[in-house]
């Protein structure tokens, strides 16, 4: 073995740099975070060749004193921390004092800066971390950092770089997150001279969402705001029917920092339980705020993960905020304790659910969501590459070209083209925040139809039927109820799906044992050894649901009583399906939920069956009142056609 010796500083720096600077996106992240920590109100990021050619970040923040310029590039040099105690309440994005040292160790850097109020600015160039002299120079207030030839001196890392387009995409995704994290700051992103993002910085999250994620996604959103117990959650979530094919559109921010968190994902998705289709995921832009001493951001060098001191308080705040917003939208309010609701706002979650909420526990304990697919790792721009961009997974809803809002002229960003010298932001004229707000189209959520809206003209409120602000026009294909609402819309209602939901809510809320019917001759249902044993293990659950079963030996179950609303002919099929649900259920709550799904479905009127007018009336009432909107699998129960849409079909409009 060779002798042991301490590495020279520049080698140690290169090793440390590897952790912080993994790819161009990590450089951009660190530089923009520095700009934000410097209280900038506008930040411009320019990229050439995916950042391998050039990265330039320009801000209008506080600037750096000329005398401190070389210090800023030393390892563990920071203005943001002084004592160990400060680590417990970090209020800035940076705090490790590593970024500038790491970036300059693996590239060629030029910095130009002027402090607010200083007569002149200063510049400094570094190559592989070795600084040249500090020079006095003219410069607008703020800071510009130019990074060239990234990884020129670390060939091993250079080899791992993807195509420029992949690196550009990663930076674009990052810029979306940064822009969403700070709606009060105007972000501009130029890739190879083309503007790819520009947010107004007017302090409105909806403006930032619109500019960063496009109109179609913005349209699918509902505002949410709530919290408690010291934790606030605010932002937007997708409507249940606008579920996405992946979790790529879930963006969480904690105290202004974009982070990935299985806990927050679980809390969000729990809010959609039974309201979203299997295999679909809610999207969100959700900002969570809590006192700085309640969250530890010093978990990972890239600072994209956090630890919460009180995980349950965070979970409950997000879960209830989402649930309340969906309920206000008109979605079904869980009538009875749902798993998380069963916890109550203070009770302990089953199995210490949030205690050590990592991906593994989430998958294994998975109290939430009978229909929940296994948790996938959240997409990211800094680890898996190329990180999917938020907008990549947002297919246009109606073939509309994703429209970018037109921004007012007179922005504080002079266009930077060619190899023009680094351009910096001026503060002349109006502050960027003073620019007009984006022309965000208002898309108010479809209001829940009130139980009693004004009567249709000519209708006397005599009989109960007449009182209803809607009229059943008929039933088609023995499946869909056609109905005209008081507001002049045509509704098609899937009677089976609606009935299934009504049953599900009723069964879930049931406090009394269900009505039973005794079978004239007990039914012997052959289920096979495994399923038979599974059912027998869950006899109390079946008993609660109205079944009286016993072991008949050899995988056969003898059924003597069944729920009153179950067709005795369906007994075998129902029990088989229940066995399947019991097999899938990972917790008692999930197994119960699975069983209720089956029972609700089996007890529902079927498409193809003839239904009496009274049956249809009850269903329409539930749908029109907003009580029922999705079947327990998250499929819609009703489709609404407006007069305008009809007129368009007939070319009248
Ligand atoms: P950290 O952000 O963790 O403190 P960095 O290496 O990123 O460490 O930056 C070192 C210091 O340089 C910061 O603490 C800050 O004082 C200063 N600095 C870096 N970038 C800027 C900027 N854009 N504007 C003003 N000061 C900056
Ligand atoms: Mg920093």
């Amino acid at each position: 073995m060779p002798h042991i010796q301490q590495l020279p500083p520049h080698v140690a720096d290169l090793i440390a740099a590897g952790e912080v600077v993994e790819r161009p996106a990590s450089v951009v992240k660190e530089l923009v975070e520095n700009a934000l920590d410097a209280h900038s109100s506008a930040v411009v990021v320019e990229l050439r060749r995916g950042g391998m050619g050039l990265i330039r970040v320009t801000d209008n923040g506080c600037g750096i004193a000329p005398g401190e310029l070389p210090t800023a590039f030393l390892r563990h040099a920071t203005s943001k921390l002084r004592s160990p105690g400060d680590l417990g309440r970090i209020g800035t994005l940076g705090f490790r004092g590593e970024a500038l040292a790491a970036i300059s160790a693996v590239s060629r850097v030029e910095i130009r800066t002027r402090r607010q109020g200083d007569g002149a600015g200063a510049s400094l160039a570094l190559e592989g971390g070795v600084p040249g002299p500090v020079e006095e120079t003219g410069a607008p207030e703020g800071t510009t950092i130019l990074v060239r030839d990234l990884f020129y001196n670390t060939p091993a890392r250079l080899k791992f770089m993807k195509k420029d387009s992949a690196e550009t995409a990663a930076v674009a995704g990052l810029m979306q997150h940064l822009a969403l994290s700070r709606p009060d700051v105007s972000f501009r992103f130029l890739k190879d001279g083309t503007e790819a993002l520009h947010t107004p910085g007017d302090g409105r999250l909806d403006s930032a969402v619109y500019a960063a994620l496009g109109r179609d996604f913005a349209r699918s959103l509902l505002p949410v705001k709530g919290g408690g117990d010291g934790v606030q959650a605010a932002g937007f979530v997708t409507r249940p029917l606008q579920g996405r094919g992946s979790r790529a559109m879930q963006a969480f921010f904690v105290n202004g920092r974009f982070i990935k968190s299985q806990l927050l994902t679980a809390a969000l998705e729990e809010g959609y339980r039974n309201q979203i289709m299997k295999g679909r995921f809610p999207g969100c832009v959700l900002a969570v705020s809590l006192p700085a001493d309640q969250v530890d951001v010093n978990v990972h060098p890239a600072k994209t993960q956090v630890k919460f001191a009180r995980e349950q308080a965070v979970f409950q705040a997000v879960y209830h905020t989402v649930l309340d917003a969906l309920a206000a939208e008109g979605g079904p309010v869980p009538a009875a304790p749902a798993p998380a609701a069963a916890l109550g706002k203070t009770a302990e979650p089953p199995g210490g659910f949030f205690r050590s909420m990592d991906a593994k526990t989430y998958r294994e304990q998975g109290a939430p969501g009978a229909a929940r697919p296994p948790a996938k790792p959240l997409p990211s721009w800094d680890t898996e590459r190329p990180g999917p961009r938020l907008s990549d997974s947002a297919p246009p809803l109606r073939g509309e070209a994703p429209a970018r809002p037109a921004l007012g002229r007179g922005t504080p960003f002079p266009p930077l083209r060619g190899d023009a010298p680094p351009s910096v932001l001026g503060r002349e004229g109006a502050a960027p925040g003073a620019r007009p707000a984006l022309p965000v189209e208002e898309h108010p959520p479809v209001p829940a139809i009130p139980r009693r809206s004004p009567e249709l003209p000519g209708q006397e409120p005599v009989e109960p039927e007449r009182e209803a602000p809607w009229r059943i026009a008929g039933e088609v294909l023995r499946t869909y109820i056609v109905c005209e609402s008081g507001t002049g819309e045509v509704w098609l209602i899937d009677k089976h799906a609606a009935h299934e939901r009504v049953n599900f809510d009723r069964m879930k809320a049931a406090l009394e044992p269900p009505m039973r019917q005794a079978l004239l001759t007990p039914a012997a249902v052959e289920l096979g050894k495994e399923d038979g044993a599974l059912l027998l293990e869950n006899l109390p659950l079946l008993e609660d649901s109205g079944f009286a079963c016993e072991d008949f030996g050899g995988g056969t179950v003898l059924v003597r009583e069944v729920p009153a609303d179950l067709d005795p002919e369906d007994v075998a099929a129902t029990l088989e399906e229940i066995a399947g649900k019991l097999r899938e259920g990972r917790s008692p709550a999930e197994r119960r939920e699975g069983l209720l799904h089956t029972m609700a479905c089996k007890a529902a009127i079927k498409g193809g069956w003839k239904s009496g007018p009274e049956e249809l009336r009850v269903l329409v009432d539930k749908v029109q009142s907003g009580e029922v909107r999705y079947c327990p699998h998250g499929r819609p129960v009703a489709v609404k056609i407006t007069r305008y849409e009809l007129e368009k079909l007939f070319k009248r409009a």
Side-chain angles (χ1 to χ4, degrees), residues 215-418:
R215 182 177 57 175
D216 289 326
F217 184 65
R219 274 186 178 181
S220 71
L221 298 176
L222 279 175
V224 296
K225 194 170 169 47
D229 204 5
V231 185
Q232 306 305 315
F236 296 93
V237 298
T238 46
R239 295 198 172 87
L241 282 183
Q242 317 253 357
R244 332 272 322 168
S246 77
R247 294 196 170 95
M249 294 301 268
Q250 295 180 357
F252 296 100
F253 304 91
V254 171
N255 289 349
R257 185 190 301 275
F258 171 77
I259 58 139
K260 295 167 214 154
S261 161
Q262 292 288 346
L263 179 115
L264 295 180
T265 296
L268 169 79
E269 294 184 1
E270 183 67 9
Y272 283 77
R273 193 204 238 287
N274 292 321
Q275 295 194 54
I276 194 158
M277 276 174 73
K278 205 169 177 156
R280 305 299 285 177
F281 302 88
C284 73
V285 178
L286 255 187
V288 176
S289 14
L290 69 172
D293 62 0
Q294 301 273 307
V295 47
D296 184 3
V297 292
N298 191 22
V299 180
H300 189 267
K303 298 166 290 179
T304 50
Q305 286 162 29
V306 296
K307 279 212 179 92
F308 296 108
R310 295 180 310 131
E311 294 191 325
Q312 203 192 128
V314 175
F315 185 99
Q316 295 291 348
V318 171
Y319 166 67
H320 285 286
T321 301
V322 171
L323 196 66
D324 289 351
L326 297 182
E329 234 280 281
V333 188
L343 323 169
K345 293 218 178 194
T346 46
E348 183 60 20
F353 175 52
F354 332 88
R355 284 273 173 76
S356 52
M357 193 57 188
D358 55 20
K360 196 159 162 278
T361 356
Y362 174 32
R363 263 196 302 277
E364 288 171 0
Q365 297 192 349
R372 184 193 302 290
K376 283 190 230 141
L378 287 168
S380 70
W381 36 262
D382 60 344
T383 49
E384 295 104 54
R385 43 183 82 191
R389 287 187 310 141
L390 279 172
S391 59
D392 279 347
S393 46
L397 288 181
R398 263 173 276 137
E400 290 150 327
R404 300 260 168 227
L407 277 170
R409 286 286 112 205
T411 67
F413 312 114
L416 307 175
R417 19 179 110 250

Side-chain angles (χ1 to χ4, degrees), residues 29-31 33-35 37 77-78 80 93-100 303:
K29 174 178 187 283
E30 294 297 335
L31 296 182
E33 288 189 350
N34 279 347
D37 283 343
T78 178
K80 300 166 195 175
L93 294 167
F95 54 88
R96 301 171 62 105
E98 296 181 309
L100 292 186
K303 298 166 290 179

Side-chain angles (χ1 to χ4, degrees), residues 489-562:
E489 291 140 350
V490 176
W491 290 61
L492 294 175
I493 298 168
D494 178 334
K495 68 179 181 185
H496 169 74
H499 196 197
E500 197 177 346
R501 179 84 220 186
V502 172
N503 286 340
F504 181 76
D505 288 348
R506 179 175 41 80
M507 289 172 181
K508 204 162 164 183
L511 300 172
E512 305 206 336
M515 301 275 288
R516 297 158 170 252
Q517 52 178 327
L519 299 179
L520 285 178
T521 36
V525 182
E526 279 178 48
L527 290 158
K529 280 223 163 62
E530 258 178 57
D531 281 0
L534 199 59
L535 278 190
L536 293 169
E537 270 166 35
N538 287 281
L539 273 186
L541 190 61
L542 288 165
E543 191 72 31
D544 283 351
S545 313
F547 288 96
C549 313
E550 60 198 66
D551 190 1
F552 206 53
T556 299
V557 172
L558 194 69
V559 188
R560 295 186 183 281
E561 289 175 53
V562 297

Side-chain angles (χ1 to χ4, degrees), residues 410-449:
T411 67
F413 312 114
L416 307 175
R417 19 179 110 250
D419 282 315
S423 203
V424 281
L425 301 182
R427 285 218 177 213
E428 355 64 306
R435 273 172 288 130
L438 280 176
V440 179
E441 283 175 46
E442 292 295 330
H443 292 285
V446 182
I449 295 166

